[in-house]
Amino acid sequence: DAHFEFNRLNSIEELDGIALPALTFMDLAYNEIKTLKGFPSAPNLKSLDVSHNLLTGLAEIDAIAKQVPDLLEVNLRGNYFCRSLLYKTKVLSCFPKLIGFDLQKVSHRTRKRIKQLPSVPLSEKVLLQSSDLCGAQFLSRMGSASKIQTEMKEILGENGDSKWRERVTELKLGSMGYKPSSKLLTTFPNLKTLQLPNNDISDADELQLSNCKCLQALDLDGNRISRIPGSLPDSLMSL
């Protein structure tokens, strides 16, 4: 076992390249860890606690998935990425053998459902709704809107596989200080609902909404837009 909880660790890069074949339990809770890059190879690790740190991007989960393929229990509570609606699906997809997740039992039914999802863990809709970590609090903790932009690109993946995108009909990205690129929106050909309230959008024309051929409902409340976009899709029913 390895216990490093209640310290001031901000990274674990010193363990990069190290193999710990006999390790079965590691506790890194209550530190200041911002990244899991450099996580050691621990093929027999069964239980990992990285709760109450400063992890933000869901890619941090990918950083350890290959290193601990047989993980049975993981606790990631108290990190910023826990607020993402993709969080649970992401973790369960990366660790298909989990029986314990954030101090809760993982049912067989849940594991079966996760296995049926595509590699990008989204089903019929993408719902990235605002929460108490969004808006001013989110900006304060993340540091800047540019970091949020990077985070959202990481989650949505502008250049990834397009097959799963064809099933996406709804994007909710309210109160996040986030402006999606026109390139991103065109990667969702069947998008019907787009909600972007309370963001930092000043020019709606930059979104090139006319390229969203199936768009029916658009919400741009609470932005800094000074004029209605000059080009809107013919399919639009609610504005």
Side-chain angles (χ1 to χ4, degrees):
D1 293 4
H3 292 264
F4 295 98
E5 62 269 35
F6 293 101
N7 280 289
R8 296 183 178 179
L9 299 176
N10 53 41
S11 76
I12 54 174
E13 293 180 354
E14 293 81 4
L15 298 176
D16 190 15
I18 295 178
L20 299 172
L23 188 67
T24 60
F25 175 83
M26 177 177 280
D27 193 340
L28 296 165
Y30 291 95
N31 277 283
E32 299 173 3
I33 298 173
K34 298 179 180 179
T35 179
L36 293 175
K37 294 178 181 179
F39 199 89
S41 174
N44 292 307
L45 190 70
K46 305 301 181 186
S47 182
L48 174 65
D49 192 340
V50 197
S51 61
H52 303 285
N53 277 281
L54 303 176
L55 301 172
T56 57
L58 292 176
E60 299 299 336
I61 299 170
D62 293 315
I64 61 174
K66 293 182 180 180
Q67 305 293 73
V68 289
D70 294 325
L71 197 66
L72 299 179
E73 297 179 339
V74 65
N75 184 7
L76 300 167
R77 296 190 309 166
N79 285 287
Y80 298 147
F81 57 35
C82 296
R83 297 294 182 176
S84 169
L85 295 185
L86 301 180
Y87 166 63
K88 182 176 181 180
T89 304
K90 177 69 172 179
V91 174
L92 294 176
S93 297
C94 288
F95 304 108
K97 298 181 181 180
L98 281 184
I99 59 174
F101 173 38
D102 285 356
L103 306 182
Q104 299 290 325
K105 182 179 178 180
V106 179
S107 68
H108 174 72
R109 179 180 179 182
T110 297
R111 288 197 299 273
K112 182 178 180 180
R113 180 178 63 83
I114 295 299
K115 289 180 180 179
Q116 294 173 345
L117 294 177
S119 57
V120 179
L122 299 174
S123 54
E124 293 304 312
K125 297 180 180 181
V126 176
L127 299 176
L128 300 175
Q129 302 190 92
S130 59
S131 68
D132 59 355
L133 266 185
C134 296
Q137 292 187 44
F138 193 96
L139 282 167
S140 174
R141 298 190 186 194
M142 290 294 291
S144 69
S146 63
K147 289 187 177 182
I148 295 177
Q149 194 85 0
T150 301
E151 175 85 358
M152 297 310 299
K153 284 183 179 180
E154 176 185 297
I155 292 173
L156 295 175
E158 293 189 13
N159 300 308
D161 179 33
S162 62
K163 292 182 179 179
W164 65 273
R165 299 171 187 276
E166 296 176 0
R167 297 194 299 276
V168 175
T169 60
E170 184 172 356
L171 284 175
K172 292 185 178 181
L173 299 164
S175 302
M176 301 187 75
Y178 175 68
K179 181 180 71 174
S181 68
S182 57
K183 177 184 176 182
L184 172 63
L185 295 180
T186 57
T187 63
F188 298 99
N190 297 310
L191 188 65
K192 295 181 178 179
T193 299
L194 177 61
Q195 295 187 8
L196 295 167
N198 304 310
N199 283 293
D200 194 31
I201 300 172
S202 57
D203 187 353
D205 283 321
E206 292 181 355
L207 301 177
Q208 297 182 21
L209 296 170
S210 59
N211 293 327
C212 301
K213 303 300 183 181
C214 296
L215 192 65
Q216 297 179 0
L218 174 64
D219 183 357
L220 293 171
D221 289 355
N223 283 284
R224 298 187 294 114
I225 297 170
S226 58
R227 64 186 181 89
I228 299 293
S231 180
L232 293 170
D234 296 337
S235 57
L236 196 63
M237 300 172 61
S238 174
L239 179 62

